Amino acid sequence: MNKYIKSEDTLMKKRSAAYTEHVLALFNEILHESITHRPLRQIGDGITPALAHGLQFLFQHGVCSVRDVGQGLTMTYSAASQLVERLVRKGWVTRRDNEHDRRLSEIRLTDQGRELVEKIRYRRVADMSRILDKMDPDSRAALVDNLEKFIAAAIDDAKSALNTCSHCGRDHLSDCVLNEIYRAETGSPMKQI
C-alpha cells in the first residue's frame, strides 16, 4: 500500500473531485515554477514570463505581424504591440515595415533573441528531466497517458480542441492529443498557426 494512504477514509477523500482539484492546483504550481519562473530567474536579463512567451511564439512561428502575435497569444492588438515594443527595446526582436504592405510590420527574432529562447528551452527541459528522472519509467509513461486522458475528457469538441491548442508552430506534433481529438471530430488535422 502507498505510504501516503493511511486509511479507507483517506482513500475515498483522495478519489474525490475536491482532492483532484487540489492535486491539479499543486501540479500547476510546480509546472509554473519548473518551466517558467525558475528558468527565467536562472537566466536573469530582466526577462518576464510575458516576454518569454512572446519570444517563444516568434521562435515557433518565424516572421510574424503584430496581429499574428496577438492572435497567437490571445491578446489584443494593443497589448501585442506593447509586448513587441518591449522585445524590440531589449534587442531580442526587430520590427520593420513589410515591403509589400506598409500597414503590416514584420517581427522577427534577433540572434540574441533566438539564443535567449534556446537557453530558456534548454533550462525548461533540464528542469523537467530532473523531476521525471526521479520517477520510474512506468510511472512516467502512466503520467503522460493519464494527462492525455484527462485532456481528452476535458475537450468537448473540435472547437474546444482548437481553442485549447497552443499553436506550437514548428514544434507541432501530429500525434498531439489535441490534434488527435480534432482529427476524430473533423476528419482532418488541425492547421498549424
Side-chain angles (χ1 to χ4, degrees):
M1 188 160 159
N2 187 319
K3 66 182 178 179
Y4 298 109
I5 299 175
K6 296 183 175 35
S7 67
E8 190 66 30
D9 184 47
T10 301
L11 180 59
M12 293 304 290
K13 287 178 184 174
K14 287 191 175 219
R15 290 184 177 161
S16 72
Y19 186 74
T20 301
E21 187 278 331
H22 172 74
V23 170
L24 286 172
L26 293 172
F27 183 74
N28 188 41
E29 287 301 315
I30 290 167
L31 284 180
H32 278 295
E33 177 61 22
S34 299
I35 66 172
T36 301
H37 300 294
R38 187 178 300 131
L40 298 184
R41 280 194 310 269
Q42 290 171 339
I43 290 169
D45 212 8
I47 185 158
T48 65
L51 294 174
H53 199 62
L55 287 171
Q56 178 71 20
F57 183 83
L58 290 163
F59 183 84
Q60 292 171 320
H61 294 89
V63 178
C64 295
S65 68
V66 173
R67 186 181 65 190
D68 295 336
V69 172
Q71 287 176 339
L73 299 179
T74 59
M75 58 177 50
T76 65
Y77 182 88
S78 175
S81 184
Q82 290 172 11
L83 174 67
V84 167
E85 195 53 42
R86 289 173 60 202
L87 293 169
V88 168
R89 282 195 306 267
K90 294 268 191 187
W92 297 330
V93 303
T94 59
R95 180 181 189 166
R96 65 178 201 154
D97 291 335
N98 181 297
E99 292 177 12
H100 306 290
D101 187 346
R102 307 230 9 122
R103 295 171 297 171
L104 298 176
S105 55
E106 294 178 348
I107 316 303
R108 69 179 72 224
L109 289 174
T110 62
D111 289 342
Q112 183 184 5
R114 184 173 320 289
E115 190 176 296
L116 183 57
V117 172
E118 289 171 352
K119 283 181 189 177
I120 293 167
R121 289 167 65 101
Y122 174 81
R123 290 186 187 267
R124 288 175 68 177
V125 170
D127 209 38
M128 188 56 59
S129 294
R130 179 187 59 79
I131 295 167
L132 293 174
D133 286 347
K134 294 178 183 179
M135 299 172 69
D136 65 82
D138 290 340
S139 294
R140 288 172 65 166
L143 173 67
V144 172
D145 185 51
N146 286 317
L147 287 171
E148 287 182 337
K149 288 176 182 174
F150 178 85
I151 292 166
I155 302 300
D156 296 322
D157 54 28
K159 183 178 179 184
S160 59
L162 192 57
N163 289 340
T164 304
C165 180
S166 63
H167 306 291
C168 51
R170 75 180 202 159
D171 292 336
H172 175 75
L173 300 172
S174 61
D175 56 352
C176 167
V177 64
L178 288 176
N179 199 36
E180 289 175 357
I181 294 166
Y182 187 87
R183 188 181 303 115
E185 289 281 325
T186 66
S188 62
M190 273 192 244
K191 293 180 181 173
Q192 295 182 44
I193 295 178

